[in-house]
Amino acid sequence: MKNTWKSGIITLFPGMFPGPLQHSLAGKALDKQIWSLDTFNIRDFSNDKHLKVDDTSYGGGEGLVIRPDVVHDALLCAEENIGSSEQIQFIYTSPRGKPFNQDMAKEWASNKSGIVILCGRYEGIDQRVIDYWSENKNLMEVSIGDFVLSGGETAALTILDACIRLLPGVLKNEKTASIESFELDLLEFSQYTKPCVWQNRVVPEVLRSGDHQKIAAWQKNSAETITKNRRPDLWSKYLIRTNNKNC
Ligand code: ADE
């Protein structure tokens, strides 16, 4: 049997999936069953004859809040179909969550046999179901950045994309993942291709020299300079990790 990495998405908009992930690397991997996708429409778990899933907020306010009982049933159904919290990472996408990063993507792609993502919408989801699943089922609230999206679906697509490309057999050259941004707390070095001269800009001579040692040194220096200039936060982490006292 194939060792497929499973994903389950709990959403009010199942039509948004697989969306961009049906194309390119992720799309090919989906066809090859390296990963699978199941969507769970929150509306299917409504007990209301009009399929209502939300209600007015206690304490007032304009927006509607999604009911805890409806979301709980959707989560239970995903758990039954995708896997328990020992095998699967449960995630709730929200701007209040823990910032998503490459280490999380790596952990979820390698240690877990898949993820279930609950996509937030409107004003939010009743806090009690988030608390219950965080305390009992290892649900993690995750944000993809300090900005507010109109819903958690695009955040879910982003998280899925970052995990899928790390699954064995997805990247053509598995080595590619180990030289890219955020590996070793460095941003990626600059890349060049033909033509050698474009708009009076010449590809650095060393990259055309064929000297692999010099090329590696140039790439390291490029990655370090870019990280130092653009991301002082990453640069500090890098310095601590490499114990570099020269800078
Ligand atoms: N939903 C709305 N904004 C979000 C964000 N920044 N990250 C994750 N989910 C969200």
XYZ file of all heavy atoms in Angstrom, residues 33-129:
767
model
N -0.335 10.306 -5.989
C -0.777 9.889 -4.636
C 0.337 9.970 -3.582
O 0.355 9.207 -2.630
C -1.364 8.482 -4.669
C -2.644 8.437 -5.468
C -3.178 7.019 -5.638
O -2.754 6.092 -4.975
N -4.113 6.874 -6.538
N 1.257 10.911 -3.799
C 2.258 11.172 -2.752
C 1.531 11.873 -1.594
O 1.874 11.695 -0.446
C 3.419 12.038 -3.307
C 4.218 11.216 -4.327
C 4.314 12.564 -2.185
C 5.328 11.986 -5.026
N 0.530 12.668 -1.928
C -0.342 13.253 -0.906
C -1.785 13.134 -1.365
O -2.053 12.905 -2.560
C 0.038 14.704 -0.598
C -0.216 15.713 -1.688
C 0.478 15.842 -2.858
C -1.226 16.732 -1.709
N -0.030 16.884 -3.607
C -1.084 17.452 -2.918
C -2.236 17.118 -0.832
C -1.903 18.520 -3.273
C -3.056 18.193 -1.178
C -2.886 18.874 -2.383
N -2.706 13.232 -0.421
C -4.135 13.168 -0.765
C -4.853 14.348 -0.125
O -4.325 14.974 0.815
C -4.746 11.862 -0.273
O -4.748 11.843 1.140
N -6.008 14.662 -0.647
C -6.777 15.802 -0.128
C -8.237 15.398 0.062
O -8.859 14.851 -0.853
C -6.702 16.960 -1.138
C -7.603 18.148 -0.850
C -7.039 18.989 0.282
C -7.771 19.012 -2.087
N -8.757 15.635 1.259
C -10.193 15.462 1.519
C -10.711 16.751 2.125
O -10.098 17.291 3.056
C -10.438 14.328 2.517
C -10.261 12.973 1.872
O -11.128 12.600 1.065
O -9.248 12.308 2.153
N -11.814 17.250 1.612
C -12.396 18.457 2.207
C -13.646 18.076 3.005
O -14.353 17.121 2.658
C -12.775 19.500 1.132
O -13.601 18.870 0.167
C -11.545 20.083 0.463
N -13.873 18.817 4.062
C -15.046 18.610 4.916
C -15.769 19.944 4.987
O -15.215 20.932 5.497
C -14.612 18.153 6.319
C -13.807 16.870 6.276
C -12.425 16.903 6.093
C -14.438 15.638 6.383
C -11.686 15.731 6.028
C -13.708 14.457 6.326
C -12.334 14.505 6.147
N -16.968 19.979 4.421
C -17.735 21.222 4.390
C -18.435 21.424 5.738
O -19.276 20.615 6.134
C -18.764 21.153 3.255
C -19.439 22.492 3.021
O -19.418 23.363 3.890
N -20.032 22.651 1.849
N -18.075 22.501 6.409
C -18.629 22.759 7.753
C -20.169 22.750 7.714
O -20.824 22.271 8.635
C -18.094 24.101 8.312
C -16.569 24.029 8.495
C -18.758 24.450 9.648
C -15.912 25.325 8.940
N -20.721 23.231 6.604
C -22.185 23.301 6.484
C -22.841 21.918 6.560
O -23.977 21.783 7.010
C -22.568 24.014 5.173
C -23.789 24.887 5.312
C -23.954 25.825 4.139
N -23.057 26.965 4.183
C -23.161 27.977 5.029
N -24.122 28.012 5.918
N -22.303 28.976 4.997
N -22.110 20.880 6.134
C -22.664 19.513 6.186
C -22.903 19.054 7.622
O -23.562 18.035 7.842
C -21.714 18.513 5.517
C -21.635 18.711 4.013
O -22.527 19.389 3.463
O -20.678 18.202 3.395
N -22.331 19.756 8.605
C -22.460 19.338 10.003
C -23.460 20.205 10.773
O -23.588 20.086 11.986
C -21.077 19.340 10.677
C -20.137 18.391 9.984
C -19.364 18.813 8.911
C -20.091 17.058 10.349
C -18.532 17.934 8.230
C -19.267 16.169 9.678
C -18.485 16.608 8.621
N -24.185 21.036 10.029
C -25.195 21.881 10.661
C -26.411 21.044 11.048
O -26.803 20.124 10.329
C -25.610 22.972 9.669
O -26.759 23.612 10.125
N -27.005 21.367 12.188
C -28.246 20.686 12.599
C -29.466 21.543 12.295
O -30.576 21.195 12.682
C -28.204 20.389 14.111
C -27.159 19.347 14.421
O -27.052 18.342 13.721
N -26.342 19.599 15.443
N -29.243 22.622 11.606
C -30.295 23.603 11.345
C -30.942 23.322 9.989
O -30.248 22.929 9.036
C -29.613 24.985 11.344
C -30.557 26.090 11.004
O -31.274 26.536 11.916
O -30.587 26.501 9.827
N -32.271 23.516 9.900
C -32.938 23.192 8.620
C -32.505 24.136 7.494
O -32.596 23.789 6.324
C -34.455 23.108 8.789
C -35.171 24.394 9.116
C -36.686 24.147 9.028
C -37.464 25.414 9.187
N -37.967 25.792 10.450
N -31.995 25.318 7.848
C -31.480 26.230 6.813
C -29.960 26.117 6.667
O -29.321 26.957 6.035
C -31.854 27.673 7.165
C -33.329 27.868 7.337
N -34.215 27.705 6.293
C -34.086 28.179 8.430
C -35.447 27.925 6.738
N -35.396 28.205 8.028
N -29.401 25.093 7.296
C -27.945 24.814 7.238
C -27.107 25.962 7.801
O -25.965 26.184 7.386
C -27.501 24.480 5.797
C -28.173 23.273 5.154
C -27.592 23.020 3.760
C -28.013 22.017 6.014
N -27.672 26.671 8.750
C -26.950 27.768 9.406
C -25.838 27.180 10.283
O -26.051 26.168 10.963
C -27.944 28.531 10.286
C -27.674 30.005 10.404
C -28.905 30.679 11.002
C -28.639 31.266 12.351
N -28.061 32.500 12.519
N -24.672 27.774 10.231
C -23.546 27.269 11.045
C -23.070 28.294 12.073
O -22.235 27.992 12.909
C -22.336 26.863 10.161
C -22.677 25.695 9.263
C -21.819 28.049 9.356
N -23.604 29.533 11.985
C -23.083 30.596 12.850
C -24.217 31.303 13.565
O -25.389 31.068 13.279
C -22.262 31.593 12.024
C -22.971 32.008 10.751
O -24.200 31.830 10.651
O -22.298 32.498 9.845
N -23.847 32.124 14.497
C -24.859 32.879 15.246
C -24.227 34.170 15.761
O -23.020 34.354 15.657
C -25.409 32.021 16.389
C -26.911 32.254 16.540
O -27.329 33.432 16.468
O -27.652 31.270 16.712
N -25.083 35.006 16.349
C -24.599 36.299 16.849
C -23.635 36.095 18.012
O -23.677 35.078 18.697
C -25.785 37.166 17.323
O -26.572 36.372 18.209
C -26.632 37.624 16.157
N -22.776 37.073 18.198
C -21.722 36.971 19.204
C -22.234 37.387 20.578
O -22.880 38.432 20.700
C -20.587 37.893 18.735
O -19.782 38.259 19.789
N -21.965 36.536 21.596
C -22.262 36.953 22.974
C -21.403 38.171 23.274
O -20.207 38.184 22.963
C -21.902 35.837 23.961
C -22.993 34.803 24.118
C -22.798 33.502 23.674
C -24.201 35.131 24.720
C -23.788 32.539 23.819
C -25.201 34.175 24.862
C -25.000 32.892 24.422
O -25.976 31.950 24.561
N -21.997 39.164 23.882
C -21.231 40.377 24.187
C -21.409 41.431 23.117
O -20.872 42.527 23.214
N -22.145 41.070 22.065
C -22.442 42.038 21.005
C -21.423 42.036 19.897
O -20.540 41.182 19.862
N -21.545 42.973 19.002
C -20.646 43.031 17.841
C -21.414 42.682 16.586
O -22.440 42.002 16.639
N -20.859 43.153 15.460
C -21.533 43.030 14.173
C -21.544 41.600 13.632
O -22.546 41.107 13.170
C -20.808 43.914 13.133
C -20.918 45.393 13.382
C -22.258 45.933 12.913
O -22.480 45.961 11.694
O -23.080 46.326 13.779
N -20.382 40.958 13.735
C -20.189 39.705 12.994
C -20.816 38.492 13.633
O -21.253 38.496 14.778
N -20.843 37.409 12.817
C -21.368 36.131 13.284
C -20.211 35.206 13.653
O -19.146 35.270 13.044
C -22.213 35.493 12.176
C -23.470 36.287 11.793
C -24.074 35.706 10.532
C -24.484 36.282 12.937
N -20.463 34.357 14.643
C -19.426 33.440 15.123
C -19.854 32.006 14.796
O -21.032 31.650 14.990
C -19.230 33.615 16.649
C -18.171 32.655 17.185
C -18.846 35.060 16.974
N -18.923 31.195 14.305
C -19.276 29.808 13.961
C -19.454 28.997 15.243
O -18.641 29.086 16.170
C -18.231 29.176 13.020
C -18.037 30.068 11.772
C -18.667 27.772 12.583
C -17.091 29.540 10.743
N -20.516 28.198 15.284
C -20.905 27.454 16.496
C -19.901 26.345 16.834
O -19.386 25.677 15.929
C -22.280 26.809 16.286
C -23.431 27.788 16.162
C -24.683 27.036 15.736
N -25.001 25.962 16.670
C -26.012 25.980 17.551
N -26.824 27.021 17.579
N -26.238 24.963 18.361
N -19.649 26.110 18.147
C -18.673 25.082 18.545
C -19.140 23.658 18.235
O -18.335 22.806 17.851
C -18.530 25.286 20.055
C -19.791 25.960 20.488
C -20.224 26.801 19.322
N -20.460 23.390 18.394
C -20.960 22.024 18.180
C -20.783 21.599 16.724
O -20.400 20.456 16.428
C -22.421 21.901 18.647
C -23.329 23.004 18.099
O -22.809 23.979 17.510
O -24.563 22.895 18.261
N -21.023 22.539 15.816
C -20.915 22.232 14.376
C -19.447 21.957 14.007
O -19.128 20.964 13.338
C -21.472 23.418 13.539
C -21.283 23.173 12.058
C -22.935 23.668 13.870
N -18.539 22.810 14.497
C -17.108 22.650 14.186
C -16.574 21.361 14.830
O -15.788 20.630 14.217
C -16.306 23.885 14.663
C -14.813 23.658 14.522
C -16.725 25.111 13.880
N -17.028 21.074 16.039
C -16.588 19.855 16.736
C -16.947 18.621 15.910
O -16.106 17.715 15.721
C -17.241 19.797 18.118
C -16.839 18.621 18.939
N -15.557 18.443 19.403
C -17.544 17.535 19.369
C -15.490 17.309 20.088
N -16.686 16.740 20.081
N -18.171 18.565 15.407
C -18.584 17.398 14.601
C -17.752 17.298 13.321
O -17.398 16.202 12.893
C -20.080 17.484 14.265
C -20.944 17.187 15.493
O -20.384 16.730 16.522
O -22.168 17.426 15.438
N -17.428 18.436 12.729
C -16.598 18.435 11.511
C -15.190 17.908 11.839
O -14.622 17.095 11.095
C -16.524 19.835 10.919
N -14.645 18.348 12.974
C -13.304 17.892 13.386
C -13.306 16.386 13.673
O -12.371 15.666 13.279
C -12.842 18.669 14.622
C -12.267 20.058 14.358
C -12.292 20.911 15.624
C -10.838 19.977 13.811
N -14.367 15.904 14.341
C -14.454 14.462 14.641
C -14.508 13.641 13.351
O -13.866 12.594 13.241
C -15.704 14.167 15.484
C -15.647 14.573 16.958
C -16.995 14.303 17.626
C -14.534 13.824 17.697
N -15.249 14.151 12.384
C -15.373 13.442 11.104
C -14.011 13.404 10.397
O -13.604 12.361 9.867
C -16.419 14.129 10.234
S -16.674 13.318 8.663
N -13.282 14.531 10.437
C -11.950 14.574 9.816
C -11.014 13.614 10.537
O -10.236 12.881 9.905
C -11.396 15.990 9.853
N -11.110 13.570 11.862
C -10.250 12.682 12.655
C -10.517 11.221 12.284
O -9.589 10.429 12.129
C -10.514 12.909 14.148
C -9.594 12.096 15.040
C -9.860 12.338 16.522
O -11.027 12.530 16.907
O -8.886 12.318 17.292
N -11.778 10.898 12.130
C -12.164 9.521 11.779
C -11.633 9.136 10.393
O -11.180 8.026 10.172
C -13.686 9.433 11.776
C -14.225 8.060 12.123
C -15.737 8.121 12.262
O -16.226 8.705 13.257
O -16.396 7.624 11.336
N -11.654 10.110 9.478
C -11.282 9.806 8.089
C -9.801 9.999 7.773
O -9.265 9.318 6.910
C -12.100 10.676 7.127
C -13.509 10.158 6.991
O -13.762 9.237 6.226
N -14.406 10.721 7.773
N -9.143 10.938 8.451
C -7.749 11.255 8.108
C -6.783 10.616 9.100
O -5.768 10.044 8.714
C -7.509 12.797 8.056
C -8.533 13.475 7.142
C -6.092 13.115 7.600
C -8.442 13.135 5.686
N -7.085 10.717 10.395
C -6.212 10.093 11.388
C -6.291 10.802 12.729
O -6.734 11.951 12.802
N -5.833 10.115 13.783
C -5.904 10.681 15.129
C -4.756 11.673 15.341
O -3.844 11.765 14.518
C -5.798 9.564 16.153
O -4.482 9.081 16.137
N -4.788 12.362 16.488
C -3.787 13.409 16.720
C -2.378 12.846 16.941
O -1.409 13.594 16.903
C -4.206 14.323 17.876
O -4.412 13.555 19.032
N -2.245 11.534 17.151
C -0.873 10.966 17.248
C -0.221 10.919 15.859
O 0.990 11.044 15.734
C -0.877 9.540 17.815
C -1.187 9.450 19.288
C -2.661 9.183 19.543
O -3.150 8.126 19.112
O -3.321 10.054 20.142
N -1.060 10.698 14.844
C -0.487 10.573 13.494
C -0.558 11.884 12.712
O 0.241 12.119 11.809
C -1.277 9.531 12.680
C -1.384 8.183 13.317
C -2.804 7.616 13.183
O -3.680 8.195 12.551
N -3.025 6.466 13.792
N -1.534 12.700 13.057
C -1.882 13.859 12.230
C -1.711 15.137 13.056
O -2.021 15.147 14.241
C -3.383 13.747 11.823
C -3.640 12.462 11.015
C -3.886 14.975 11.101
C -3.144 12.478 9.610
N -1.229 16.206 12.434
C -1.215 17.504 13.118
C -2.522 18.228 12.821
O -2.876 18.420 11.657
C -0.026 18.342 12.643
C 0.053 19.710 13.277
C 0.346 19.630 14.773
O 1.259 18.932 15.194
N -0.445 20.329 15.574
N -3.236 18.624 13.869
C -4.438 19.440 13.702
C -4.038 20.911 13.787
O -3.298 21.308 14.691
C -5.480 19.119 14.774
C -6.197 17.820 14.516
C -5.629 16.614 14.880
C -7.428 17.803 13.875
C -6.267 15.412 14.628
C -8.078 16.610 13.610
C -7.497 15.410 13.995
N -4.531 21.708 12.837
C -4.140 23.121 12.734
C -5.394 23.983 12.584
O -6.332 23.594 11.866
C -3.234 23.323 11.486
C -1.932 22.524 11.632
C -2.925 24.797 11.251
C -1.245 22.264 10.314
N -5.389 25.121 13.237
C -6.461 26.113 13.043
C -5.796 27.383 12.536
O -4.906 27.930 13.193
C -7.194 26.341 14.370
C -8.106 27.544 14.388
C -9.014 27.798 13.364
C -8.073 28.443 15.461
C -9.850 28.893 13.396
C -8.911 29.551 15.500
C -9.798 29.768 14.456
O -10.617 30.860 14.489
N -6.182 27.844 11.355
C -5.545 29.036 10.779
C -6.230 30.302 11.294
O -7.445 30.457 11.159
C -5.612 29.009 9.240
O -6.964 28.796 8.840
C -4.726 27.939 8.664
N -5.410 31.165 11.885
C -5.951 32.421 12.429
C -4.806 33.419 12.600
O -3.669 33.016 12.870
C -6.628 32.126 13.771
O -6.086 32.894 14.804
N -5.099 34.722 12.461
C -4.010 35.703 12.645
C -3.485 35.744 14.079
O -2.445 36.325 14.330
C -4.658 37.035 12.263
C -6.106 36.793 12.093
C -6.365 35.331 12.070
N -4.175 35.088 15.018
C -3.717 35.084 16.414
C -2.793 33.913 16.715
O -2.347 33.737 17.850
C -4.918 34.981 17.370
C -5.948 36.075 17.196
C -6.843 36.194 18.406
N -7.305 34.907 18.925
C -8.141 34.767 19.939
N -8.616 35.842 20.536
N -8.506 33.583 20.367
N -2.527 33.085 15.714
C -1.789 31.841 15.952
C -0.289 32.003 16.045
O 0.273 33.093 15.869
N 0.377 30.881 16.306
C 1.839 30.820 16.337
C 2.352 31.045 14.900
O 1.811 30.451 13.962
C 2.206 29.409 16.836
C 3.639 29.229 17.172
C 3.845 27.906 17.880
C 5.346 27.694 17.977
N 5.724 26.408 18.455
N 3.380 31.881 14.729
C 3.853 32.144 13.356
C 4.374 30.870 12.683
O 5.211 30.168 13.234
C 4.979 33.159 13.556
C 4.739 33.764 14.905
C 4.081 32.694 15.733
N 3.859 30.611 11.499
C 4.258 29.424 10.723
C 5.681 29.614 10.215
O 6.058 30.719 9.828
C 3.295 29.263 9.543
C 3.582 28.084 8.665
C 3.584 26.796 9.179
C 3.852 28.256 7.307
C 3.844 25.697 8.376
C 4.104 27.162 6.493
C 4.110 25.891 7.031
N 6.466 28.533 10.229
C 7.825 28.637 9.686
C 8.268 27.307 9.064
O 7.546 26.305 9.117
C 8.815 29.111 10.767
C 8.913 28.136 11.922
O 8.756 26.922 11.741
N 9.172 28.654 13.104
N 9.458 27.337 8.482
C 9.977 26.180 7.743
C 10.166 24.960 8.652
O 9.978 23.828 8.210
C 11.295 26.574 7.063
C 11.867 25.569 6.096
C 11.036 25.417 4.817
O 10.171 26.234 4.513
N 11.305 24.364 4.064
N 10.522 25.198 9.916
C 10.704 24.066 10.841
C 9.393 23.313 11.056
O 9.373 22.084 11.134
C 11.237 24.547 12.206
C 12.692 24.956 12.117
O 13.364 24.557 11.138
O 13.153 25.682 13.012
N 8.291 24.066 11.160
C 6.981 23.404 11.321
C 6.664 22.591 10.069
O 6.212 21.447 10.154
C 5.869 24.440 11.522
C 5.933 25.193 12.815
S 4.539 26.367 12.822
C 4.929 27.317 14.247
N 6.907 23.179 8.903
C 6.629 22.464 7.643
C 7.421 21.165 7.602
O 6.891 20.105 7.261
C 6.984 23.352 6.445
N 8.697 21.249 8.007
C 9.559 20.060 7.991
C 9.045 18.989 8.939
O 9.004 17.817 8.593
C 10.974 20.453 8.425
C 11.873 20.749 7.265
C 13.307 20.667 7.736
C 13.952 21.994 7.520
N 15.217 22.165 8.191
N 8.676 19.431 10.139
C 8.198 18.475 11.143
C 6.910 17.801 10.673
O 6.775 16.577 10.753
C 7.964 19.209 12.470
C 7.671 18.245 13.609
C 7.137 18.938 14.837
O 7.547 20.086 15.099
O 6.300 18.332 15.522
N 5.989 18.586 10.151
C 4.702 18.015 9.750
C 4.841 17.143 8.508
O 4.086 16.193 8.318
C 3.665 19.120 9.543
C 3.430 19.928 10.789
C 3.714 19.526 12.072
C 2.913 21.248 10.890
N 3.397 20.519 12.955
C 2.904 21.594 12.271
C 2.448 22.183 9.957
C 2.441 22.830 12.725
C 1.985 23.417 10.415
C 1.985 23.727 11.774
N 5.794 17.471 7.648
C 5.987 16.660 6.436
C 6.708 15.358 6.756
O 6.524 14.361 6.072
C 6.767 17.457 5.391
N 7.539 15.366 7.818
C 8.336 14.151 8.059
C 7.856 13.326 9.251
O 7.832 12.108 9.182
C 9.813 14.516 8.230
O 9.972 15.349 9.346
N 7.423 13.983 10.343
C 7.048 13.206 11.525
C 5.590 12.791 11.541
O 5.199 11.919 12.294
C 7.288 14.006 12.815
C 8.728 14.394 12.954
O 9.578 13.877 12.223
N 9.015 15.287 13.861
N 4.796 13.450 10.787
C 3.361 13.189 10.832
C 2.927 12.557 9.521
O 3.530 12.795 8.484
C 2.603 14.504 11.039
C 2.965 15.224 12.328
C 2.191 14.668 13.504
C 2.535 15.386 14.782
N 1.761 14.875 15.918
N 1.834 11.780 9.576
C 1.396 11.194 8.306
C 0.371 12.085 7.625
O -0.280 11.672 6.673
C 0.880 9.774 8.517
O -0.132 9.774 9.462
N 0.253 13.314 8.115
C -0.608 14.264 7.426
C -1.059 15.383 8.334
O -0.657 15.452 9.492
N -1.912 16.267 7.793
C -2.439 17.378 8.602
C -3.932 17.568 8.332
O -4.412 17.256 7.242
C -1.681 18.710 8.358
C -1.664 19.112 6.883
C -0.280 18.658 8.895
C -0.910 20.431 6.613
N -4.611 18.047 9.348
C -6.002 18.479 9.185
C -6.026 19.966 9.503
O -5.544 20.380 10.567
C -6.949 17.714 10.137
C -8.308 18.399 10.196
C -7.113 16.268 9.676
N -6.523 20.771 8.573
C -6.547 22.219 8.795
C -7.993 22.712 8.884
O -8.793 22.491 7.971
C -5.804 22.985 7.672
C -4.394 22.403 7.455
C -5.727 24.474 8.014
C -3.576 23.130 6.387
N -8.277 23.360 9.992
C -9.578 24.007 10.186
C -9.418 25.469 9.765
O -8.594 26.198 10.335
C -9.969 23.902 11.666
C -11.128 24.763 12.153
C -12.434 24.393 11.452
C -11.290 24.622 13.671
N -10.179 25.875 8.748
C -10.045 27.233 8.221
C -11.028 28.172 8.918
O -12.238 27.937 8.883
C -10.340 27.261 6.725
S -9.304 26.168 5.755
N -10.501 29.218 9.521
C -11.352 30.218 10.167
C -12.035 31.094 9.129
O -11.585 31.206 8.000
N -13.141 31.725 9.518
C -13.910 32.624 8.630
C -14.673 33.641 9.446
O -14.872 33.458 10.642
C -14.930 31.830 7.811
C -14.386 31.302 6.521
C -14.532 32.319 5.401
N -13.477 32.127 4.412
C -13.317 32.924 3.362
N -14.110 33.942 3.164
N -12.330 32.724 2.522
N -15.205 34.656 8.807
C -16.041 35.669 9.440
C -15.357 36.220 10.698
O -14.153 36.386 10.743
C -17.433 35.119 9.783
C -18.155 34.526 8.590
C -18.870 33.358 8.701
C -18.096 35.144 7.333
C -19.528 32.809 7.609
C -18.747 34.595 6.237
C -19.454 33.439 6.387
O -20.079 32.886 5.312
N -16.122 36.426 11.737
C -15.559 36.989 12.968
C -14.720 35.960 13.710
O -13.900 36.285 14.535
C -16.682 37.483 13.888
C -17.432 38.682 13.345
C -16.510 39.814 12.944
O -15.839 40.362 13.818
O -16.465 40.142 11.742
N -14.985 34.696 13.460
C -14.209 33.665 14.141
C -15.029 32.442 14.479
O -16.167 32.285 14.026
N -14.397 31.567 15.248
C -15.022 30.323 15.673
C -15.137 30.408 17.196
O -14.232 30.946 17.856
C -14.149 29.133 15.230
C -14.155 29.045 13.691
C -14.599 27.832 15.871
C -13.305 27.937 13.102
N -16.218 29.898 17.759
C -16.407 29.899 19.216
C -15.146 29.360 19.894
O -14.643 28.285 19.540
C -17.628 29.030 19.551
C -18.011 29.110 21.017
O -17.156 28.787 21.875
O -19.155 29.486 21.310
N -14.621 30.112 20.844
C -13.333 29.794 21.483
C -13.323 28.418 22.147
O -12.286 27.755 22.216
C -12.991 30.886 22.502
C -11.584 30.777 23.090
C -10.486 30.897 22.039
O -10.598 31.699 21.106
N -9.444 30.090 22.154
N -14.491 27.948 22.625
C -14.505 26.701 23.393
C -14.070 25.494 22.574
O -13.385 24.607 23.082
C -15.899 26.472 23.990
C -16.206 27.453 25.109
C -17.660 27.450 25.452
N -18.488 27.931 24.335
C -19.816 27.961 24.359
N -20.470 27.529 25.414
N -20.486 28.434 23.324
N -14.423 25.473 21.287
C -14.031 24.307 20.483
C -12.525 24.356 20.177
O -11.856 23.317 20.106
C -14.908 24.153 19.206
C -14.659 25.258 18.206
C -14.684 22.792 18.557
